[in-house]
Amino acid sequence: MERMALHPRLKSFRPRLLDHLPDYKRADLLADVSAGLTVGMVALPLAMTFAMASGLSPQAGLVTAIVAGLIISLFGGSSFQIGGPAGAFIVVVYAIVERYGVPNLLIATACAGVLLIVMGLFRMGDLIRLIPVSIVAGFTSGIAVLIALSQVKEFLGLTGEPLPAEFFGKMQALLEALPSVDLLTVVMGGLCLLIIVAWPKSYAVSHGPLGRAFSRLPGSLIAIALSTLFVIIFQLPVETVGSRFGAIPQGFPMPSLPELDWGKVQFLFGPILTIAMLGAVESLLCARVADGLTKTRHDPNQELMAQGLANIASPLFGGFCATGTVARTVTNIRSGARSPIAGIVHALSLLAVVLVAAPLAEFIPLTALAATALVVAYNMGDWRVFADMRHHAVPYRLTLLVTFILTIVLDITVAVQVGLTMACVFFIWRVSQLTRVEKVSDEERNARGLEVEGVEIRRLTGILFFGAVSCLEPLMKPKLKLPRTLVLDCSALLAIDSTGTEALRGLDDFLASKGTQLLLASVRPEPLQVMTRLGLIDDLGNERVFPTLQGALGLR
């Protein structure tokens, strides 16, 4: 019986793909295949870039894009979301790899996947979407800054040890390595950056169907292809994927369990929580973007369960954490996708590249991938909110700036925790300012015929909760002249909590000690239910609680 009572609260498992299959047509398949191939070309360089920026091999990024992308499209709650490695994870993954090693990253990713499934089952997707915009903009922009900093070494061709995860250590290492700048690497990186930024504009000057189709290819793919071609033809002495990581194996890895390091597993709770929360927030934000572009509505809890399955499966093949990705999802939508099958095609197209053309990745220059990551970082940051801060209230500005700075200097987990605490405190403060106890004016009493000798009327407005009970303190000043009867008009009291109930009980005790009787009038059903459940109505007695103000005054 107990299990049956809990069952309706759990989310049923129903992928969005099932909603499309009954009416799926040949035209839909052609549109999805076209969109899937297009977004696959966009995902190819990004998957390798994000993996390498995270301190992993390019193959790890490709495996993540294939496995996680396939599972998220198969089982997700959005019709258009594309999953895979995301820029938001670069800083988090890099720090975990440096502190705990790759095997523990895989374990933390799988455990985070289990946590995401639990969050989806218990319908926590609706709550995660309520995180304030100021916090999301703050940590997203902070991550963008960290991504850009992490790519400076490869973009400039600096030599030396890998950059540390900590911000100040990273800055010091970059300054010390600055004299080793390689001019050829900088020129190649600058040209790649120029191609990536300018390539989308080539569509306006392209002629003919073939030219326009060619101009629709992602600029990052063109930049990487051209720079790789130059390295192969002219044997340019720049650092490449092969010189850093060796050749990418041609084939797909078999699943295997990661090696457990029990000495460090006990310290993985923080990374697990960070991966799960960041993945949940990023995927649901991405799904909301897709909803806005397509006038559809995703299922956030189903999406969380799909993200969980993807993050459990990805480490089994040597991949790492994945989530929904805005750039690839938007590309998918604008390419004409009609269902999750486009995402499935995207994953299969990446698999075909790995099986056929993986050896060519050995010659990709790292500066080209760094240029791609720099553009991603710029597009990822919500820089407009900083320019518009003057239009927002002080609490919004403080929450945004503190979250942004803490993300860069300390850690994204700390930043989000502090940001949420600040947002809650500011919210409590704002709501408390709306809760007031005001004396009903003589003009209103005369106009409504509420004049009764020896009776004072006070109107309680807002929400009487733990952060607003101080509004009752002026009624308990020792030198305040009190009437024979004090009537609290509760018609504008929207809600009350246990602290508010205790505050009213304390007010009644104080007034009784001064010879003043407290009456409650026009209490709404919701506050009245709370007062009754917590015993306040029994303490006052039904004879001191009236449905109308006129009744409390003895008027008809």
Side-chain angles (χ1 to χ4, degrees):
M1 294 295 294
E2 197 171 327
R3 186 175 178 180
M4 290 178 64
L6 288 173
H7 179 72
R9 300 181 182 179
L10 298 179
K11 172 70 176 70
S12 59
F13 190 85
R14 182 175 175 79
R16 184 55 56 89
L17 178 62
L18 297 179
D19 297 334
H20 289 272
L21 293 180
D23 300 321
Y24 199 70
K25 300 179 178 62
R26 182 173 178 272
D28 298 325
L29 177 61
L30 293 175
D32 282 336
V33 169
S34 175
L37 292 175
T38 302
V39 76
M41 288 186 287
V42 174
L44 178 63
L46 294 180
M48 292 189 292
T49 299
F50 293 155
M52 294 175 63
S54 302
L56 302 171
S57 68
Q59 187 187 23
L62 293 172
V63 168
T64 304
I66 294 168
V67 176
L70 180 63
I71 291 176
I72 289 171
S73 294
L74 276 173
F75 303 114
S78 171
S79 298
F80 305 99
Q81 176 133 280
I82 301 295
F89 277 121
I90 289 176
V91 179
V92 174
V93 173
Y94 189 90
I96 295 174
V97 169
E98 186 184 57
R99 295 171 189 168
Y100 305 105
V102 174
N104 285 298
L105 166 67
L106 304 183
I107 294 168
T109 300
C111 292
V114 175
L115 183 56
L116 283 166
I117 292 176
V118 172
M119 291 164 64
L121 282 173
F122 286 93
R123 302 178 180 273
M124 294 181 65
D126 299 315
L127 295 177
I128 294 173
R129 294 192 300 177
L130 300 179
I131 294 177
V133 175
S134 55
I135 295 176
V136 175
F139 80 71
T140 302
S141 301
I143 289 173
V145 171
L146 291 175
I147 292 173
L149 284 175
S150 69
Q151 297 306 299
V152 171
K153 184 174 182 289
E154 279 71 26
F155 187 80
L156 299 180
L158 304 180
T159 59
E161 295 296 322
L163 298 178
E166 293 77 14
F167 171 74
F168 294 109
K170 187 184 273 97
M171 293 299 296
Q172 182 179 355
L174 286 174
L175 290 174
E176 291 174 354
L178 205 55
S180 63
V181 171
D182 181 68
L183 183 59
L184 178 60
T185 302
V186 173
V187 171
M188 179 173 284
L191 290 174
C192 289
L193 197 63
L194 182 63
I195 291 172
I196 296 171
V197 174
W199 186 259
K201 299 178 177 60
S202 66
Y203 184 81
V205 296
S206 299
H207 301 286
L210 185 61
R212 290 188 178 276
F214 188 66
S215 64
R216 284 187 178 276
L217 292 174
S220 57
L221 188 65
I222 300 299
I224 290 173
L226 290 177
S227 60
T228 302
L229 190 63
F230 269 77
V231 168
I232 294 173
I233 294 175
F234 298 105
Q235 298 291 305
L236 298 179
V238 296
E239 192 171 18
T240 64
V241 171
S243 64
R244 174 75 65 87
F245 299 97
I248 297 179
Q250 188 171 6
F252 200 75
M254 297 298 293
S256 62
L257 293 174
E259 297 179 7
L260 286 174
D261 183 352
W262 293 106
K264 293 182 178 179
V265 167
Q266 57 182 320
F267 302 110
L268 293 179
F269 177 76
I272 290 170
L273 188 61
T274 300
I275 292 172
M277 290 304 300
L278 183 57
V281 172
E282 283 290 311
S283 63
L284 296 186
L285 284 175
C286 179
R288 287 175 62 181
V289 171
D291 288 349
L293 292 174
T294 58
K295 309 303 179 186
T296 57
R297 182 169 178 80
H298 72 283
D299 182 343
N301 300 301
Q302 179 64 40
E303 188 61 37
L304 287 184
M305 288 191 284
Q307 298 289 337
L309 291 173
N311 282 281
I312 292 174
S314 179
L316 297 178
F317 294 88
F320 60 108
C321 38
T323 185
T325 56
V326 175
R328 278 158 274 179
T329 298
V330 172
T331 301
N332 188 42
I333 293 170
R334 290 178 176 171
S335 299
R338 299 185 182 180
S339 77
I341 290 178
I344 297 173
V345 173
H346 134 268
L348 295 178
S349 66
L350 289 174
L351 177 61
V353 171
V354 169
L355 296 178
V356 176
L360 293 177
E362 179 182 352
F363 302 99
I364 297 176
L366 296 186
T367 187
L369 295 176
T372 301
L374 288 174
V375 174
V376 169
Y378 177 79
N379 293 330
M380 180 180 176
D382 196 354
W383 314 116
R384 179 178 49 82
V385 298
F386 293 93
D388 295 340
M389 275 203 306
R390 64 184 184 278
H391 302 305
H392 294 281
V394 172
Y396 179 96
R397 300 179 200 172
L398 287 175
T399 304
L400 172 66
L401 290 175
V402 168
T403 306
F404 174 71
I405 293 171
L406 289 180
T407 300
I408 296 174
V409 175
L410 293 180
D411 180 76
I412 183 175
T413 306
V414 175
V416 173
Q417 290 172 349
V418 173
L420 283 174
T421 301
M422 292 180 63
C424 290
V425 170
F426 286 135
F427 176 76
I428 291 170
W429 177 78
R430 285 196 297 268
V431 173
S432 67
Q433 300 304 301
L434 301 175
T435 305
R436 301 184 301 274
V437 179
E438 298 174 323
K439 185 176 181 181
V440 176
S441 64
D442 294 337
E443 292 79 4
E444 182 180 346
R445 293 183 65 170
N446 289 330
R448 297 177 59 186
L450 301 177
E451 281 292 342
V452 177
E453 187 73 25
V455 178
E456 181 178 306
I457 304 174
R458 297 269 182 163
R459 179 169 291 119
L460 180 55
T461 304
I463 300 175
L464 191 61
F465 70 115
F466 65 90
V469 293
S470 59
C471 67
L472 297 177
E473 292 177 359
L475 297 177
M476 293 185 281
K477 290 182 178 179
K479 297 183 179 181
L480 181 67
K481 184 179 179 181
L482 295 170
R484 184 183 74 251
T485 302
L486 176 65
V487 178
L488 271 184
D489 177 12
C490 299
S491 59
L493 177 65
L494 302 178
I496 189 171
D497 69 352
S498 58
T499 306
T501 303
E502 286 300 318
L504 286 178
R505 187 178 280 113
L507 175 63
D508 179 53
D509 293 340
F510 174 81
L511 295 177
S513 68
K514 300 296 183 180
T516 299
Q517 185 182 46
L518 175 66
L519 304 180
L520 301 182
S522 304
V523 185
R524 291 169 174 257
E526 293 82 4
L528 182 61
Q529 184 181 17
V530 176
M531 293 177 187
T532 303
R533 177 165 50 84
L534 297 178
L536 178 62
I537 301 302
D538 289 339
D539 292 345
L540 293 177
N542 291 324
E543 67 277 4
R544 288 203 281 157
V545 181
F546 298 87
T548 64
L549 189 56
Q550 288 80 0
L553 298 174
L555 303 172
R556 293 186 182 274

